[in-house]
Amino acid sequence: MSEPEAPKIEFPCENYPIKVVGETMADYEQVIVEIVRVHAEDCDFERIRIQESSNGRFRSVTLYITATGKEQLVSIHKDLMAHPNVRMVI
């Protein structure tokens, strides 16, 4: 039995969610926003969602961008994962 193919993304793709999970630190949200802003100036910074883990060690930040292509998404992922506090980008 073969695995189903992932759905194809049609670009530009409005309201594309990016969720970043990392260790809590001072100004964590601002750091994430600045990294994403380099690649997606049109990010809707009013819709950012922040969630703390139950013990407060981790924090997730969800942002919404207009994805313009695979290269943009790969660059955002690479730059976010390069930050020492970021553990996962979904």
Side-chain angles (χ1 to χ4, degrees), residues 9-10 12-15 18 20 32-33 38 46 49-52 55 60 62 65 69-70 77 83-84 87-90:
I9 301 172
E10 291 187 30
C13 179
E14 293 183 15
N15 297 312
I18 298 175
V20 186
I32 300 306
V33 164
V38 169
E46 300 298 318
R49 291 188 320 197
I50 300 164
Q51 187 171 5
E52 298 279 337
N55 64 5
S60 71
T62 303
I65 67 167
K70 183 177 180 180
H77 185 272
H83 192 280
R87 296 292 172 249
M88 185 177 356
V89 179
I90 304 169

Side-chain angles (χ1 to χ4, degrees), residues 48-76:
I48 294 175
R49 291 188 320 197
I50 300 164
Q51 187 171 5
E52 298 279 337
S53 66
S54 60
N55 64 5
R57 182 173 175 209
F58 295 97
R59 184 176 296 165
S60 71
V61 177
T62 303
L63 308 107
Y64 296 87
I65 67 167
T66 298
T68 58
K70 183 177 180 180
E71 299 80 21
Q72 177 199 38
L73 297 177
V74 168
S75 295
I76 291 171

Side-chain angles (χ1 to χ4, degrees), residues 19-33:
K19 184 174 188 173
V20 186
V21 179
E23 293 182 34
T24 300
M25 61 177 253
D27 299 327
Y28 178 73
E29 300 83 19
Q30 188 62 34
V31 169
I32 300 306
V33 164

